[in-house]
Amino acid sequence: MRAVLVGVDFGKGDFAASLEELSLLSQSAGASPVTMVTCKRSSPDAALFIGTGKADEIAHLASDEAIDIVIFNHALSPAQQRNLERHLKVRVVDRTSLILDIFAQRANSHEGKVQVELAQLQHLSTRLIRGWTHLERQKGGIGLRGPGETQLETDRRLLGDRVKALKIKMDKLHKQRETQRRSRGRSKAFSVSLVGYTNAGKSTLFNMLTKAGAYTADQLFATLDTTSRRLYLEDAGNIVISDTVGFIRELPHQLVAAFRATLEETIHADLLLHVVDASSPVRLDQIEQVNQVLKEIGADQIPQLLVWNKIDLASLGPSIELDEYDKIRRVFLSARTGVGLDLLRQAIADYAKLGASKFNEPLQTTELNDERFT
């Protein structure tokens, strides 16, 4: 599927990094980026987001290059998306829809599929405005429509019924997770959750620690379903470690809400291993994005151990960094090569032995400046 990628620079954050991320997202969804169109604006255009002139440019490009889809690096309103599709004569997808599509492709477990479908339908419900205007005057219907019901009303009703059914399923899955969590709680096992920006290497690290064989790939959102395993540490005994979905900037609110049951593994953890891609030029911004999502789900008060992964790509050596109280704050390692894993195991054991609650609150991004990364 040939795609044009569109990014608007509003003067906030690292624009180049966000465009690179958009390219990776589109490829993860199965699109083939042909070209990228960028522009600068102080604020979005109310009707077309990018303005008429830039929309005309993209329309000509789409026609000349046989483009199948235009992907925006931003969240579009239903009206903007509808206006753009009429103007460009091709399908238009915004960042939220793109991420939802990737999640739909990657969900494997029953719980993951239910969560993704719920998020998609909640997003779709805002896109049904005047979606069936050519049928609005038709009354009745064959099989599905009730007396005097328009197609748009039917769609809304059926969508609402499906959302209600999915929420009931999610409640049941939530209760099952609570039962499993209470069972683990009775065993008094120290629980650790891996969190971090998507593609930071969480699943690779999880596999190296537990030999679990979880799916890994050099792509965004390779992991959607939470996997938990027991890990024996010589100095601390058995702990439970969980691999979770990766975070990303501007993670759609529908996904955060739908994946709350999965993310509760994070909320109830004793310690968070915040995995950071040490080779990324925007690693500090990514740390900040992860911390924002953790705050949104109520996990911002859980102690964090920062794990700076991919040191082999950043030309760094394995090490442990202590704070002024001689408590471990950062571990530098490579999950791919295994270098530094012994340091991480020891750090987790130290937290488990002493009780993570005795450690200070997670570091703020402003505290992470280091001459090794400048």
Side-chain angles (χ1 to χ4, degrees), residues 2 19 35 48 51 58 106 114 118 141 147 152 161 186 214 220 228 241 252 286 292 314 337 339 354 360 370:
R2 293 168 62 82
L19 293 180
T35 187
L48 294 170
I58 297 172
R106 303 278 163 77
V114 170
L118 178 59
L152 179 57
D161 290 344
R186 284 194 294 272
L220 303 184
S228 297
I241 186 166
Q286 291 177 351
Q292 284 181 11
T337 65
V339 173
L354 297 176
N360 293 334
D370 193 318

Side-chain angles (χ1 to χ4, degrees), residues 174-240:
H174 173 74
K175 289 174 182 175
Q176 290 175 8
R177 280 197 173 272
E178 280 295 319
T179 301
Q180 294 168 357
R181 197 176 292 117
R182 282 196 297 269
S183 176
R184 289 204 301 265
R186 284 194 294 272
S187 68
K188 290 184 170 54
F190 188 80
S191 62
V192 177
S193 279
L194 292 167
V195 299
Y197 208 77
T198 182
N199 207 31
K202 296 181 299 300
S203 294
T204 301
L205 180 59
F206 180 75
N207 286 339
M208 291 293 284
L209 287 171
T210 66
K211 312 301 180 188
Y215 176 69
T216 62
D218 185 18
Q219 59 188 21
L220 303 184
F221 301 118
T223 300
L224 287 189
D225 303 308
T226 297
T227 306
S228 297
R229 291 288 186 274
R230 286 192 177 274
L231 172 65
Y232 178 79
L233 296 176
E234 189 173 340
D235 294 334
N238 281 318
I239 68 166
V240 175

Side-chain angles (χ1 to χ4, degrees), residues 326-337:
D326 290 332
K327 294 168 184 172
I328 299 170
R329 276 309 183 195
R330 284 195 281 188
V331 179
F332 296 82
L333 55 78
S334 169
R336 186 178 65 85
T337 65

Side-chain angles (χ1 to χ4, degrees), residues 248-266:
I248 196 167
R249 65 169 59 88
E250 299 173 35
L251 188 66
H253 290 294
Q254 297 96 330
L255 276 177
V256 174
F259 274 75
R260 187 168 294 277
T262 299
L263 294 172
E264 280 181 359
E265 291 294 338
T266 300

